[in-house]
Amino acid sequence: MNQKRIANLIIVLIFLLMLALPVLFVNRVPEKVSPTENRKLAAFPVIFDKEGKLAPGIRTGFETWINDNIGFREQFLKVAANIKVKIFHFSTSEKVHIGEDGWYFYTPNSNLEIASGEYPLSDAMLKAIARKQQAISNYYKSQGVDYVLVLTPSKASVYPEYIGGADYRVGVSPVDIVEDYLLQHTDVKVVNTKTALIEKKGEEKLFLKTDTHFTQYGSYLAYRAIYDSLTKCGILPDGNAVDVELSKGALQGEFSAMLGVPKLLALEEVPTVQWERHTEEIKGGEKYKAIDDLCKQNNDAKRYQPYLYENPNASGKKLLIYGDSQWMPMRNIPILLGEHFDQVVSIRMRTPDIAMDSIVRPDVVMFGCSERFINTILLRDLTVPDISRLPDLPVRKMISQEEYGEWIGNQGICLDSCNDRRVGGRADVNLEPSEKSIKLYGWAADFCNGAPFQELYLRIGDIITKCEYGIERTSVVDHFKKDSLLKTGFRVEFPITYLQDAKETEIAFVGVSADGQYLYEPVKYRLYSS
């Protein structure tokens, strides 16, 4: 065999080996998670169905499995990501925008539209935000608790000049619009931390270039804005702000993983803060367990660990924070605030929770909302009582079941469930001893007019709370064969403390007629503890 034939044979063998190696090293681990894409890889398809026939979609399933599990796939993805991002400055993720001078920006939740002035925030949204925030504030006032809304700006509104392909400058953004609207139309305590950040923008990096979050120095400035506001309204004494020393550290921004490779972008030098810390984290005990157990039941919080801090040398007050990722411990805001409070509980929840309040028993509740979530989080359904008063209207009776010709619930009201336990329209509702709050669901309608009530209220002793009313109930339409009764569902929630430790409490629903001219006679229910 001459040398030329040997060389050709070697080339063929190498070529065949290159083709075979990816197959030989195919992933065989079921439900393996790709570290590059942070998702489960496709499972091997089912070949035969229960009847022994070839399963439908086997070809597509096999192609998907090969594409996800072929050998060296992760290495190829890393090489491709490096070429696209570092050489061509092309983002490999629709969630990440590559800006100027090494700055990267998060794109979901209309984040870039914050800088362009196109963020969706209408007058109707502002009115709804104001109504809901006032209702939350009123509820906490009724409990003797101070409520504070903290708005944290997006990186896109603090560093808009680095957004690629545009010429944006710092200006009025959603946090400013919402702050101004709430100050004009409510008495809610609002802290907009954007101003404090902009004032110090030239001193140190306030956001990571390769991440959507504050640096520790940015967090410190946000803390100072919060502290200054708490002192102005008398919640905290003045003159005790924490002073910090700055140094340098290095962090891996979250955008590397989003772009496809966990360490695609270099470690970033960032300012870090140090101070004489008195706040200690508590990870055990009855209270922590109760908080953790409740978090595991909450859809917002069950993926995240709650944090409990104590400082016996502080004011004696307790602070409960419902926050987002800007409030995580590595960014220090809850820990810095812990220098002023006897106890701080920080939870990743996007709405206040009555049951959590009853465990923590806070003196101050702080709700943190990042700018890009304003038009979603601040418009969520209320989860606290909307304390109100009954309209001054004449009272009339609901049409009777005999006059109407069929069952209409309890004088137009049907209570379906209490704390997710079926009630079935009964007037007596049993409570469990361990319950911290009462959640009532049902439907109600003005059967005198064959339409939804204009409004629905619940009276608990001397307290009047407005129900969330107008939820679509197709089952009511189907039962009564009336399309006009679609939006007749209601929900209402209130703390167990409203029952004043009584073994038995009478509550009553009061509906406003569809034309707004009358109140109907109260429909009573009895809550009792066994």
Side-chain angles (χ1 to χ4, degrees), residues 438-456:
I438 309 297
K439 301 176 187 177
L440 304 176
Y441 295 86
W443 58 264
D446 178 355
F447 283 95
C448 291
N449 294 293
F453 288 124
Q454 189 173 99
E455 291 174 334
L456 182 65

Side-chain angles (χ1 to χ4, degrees), residues 427-446:
D428 291 346
V429 181
N430 188 27
L431 302 178
E432 300 290 339
S434 61
E435 289 175 323
K436 306 295 184 184
S437 64
I438 309 297
K439 301 176 187 177
L440 304 176
Y441 295 86
W443 58 264
D446 178 355

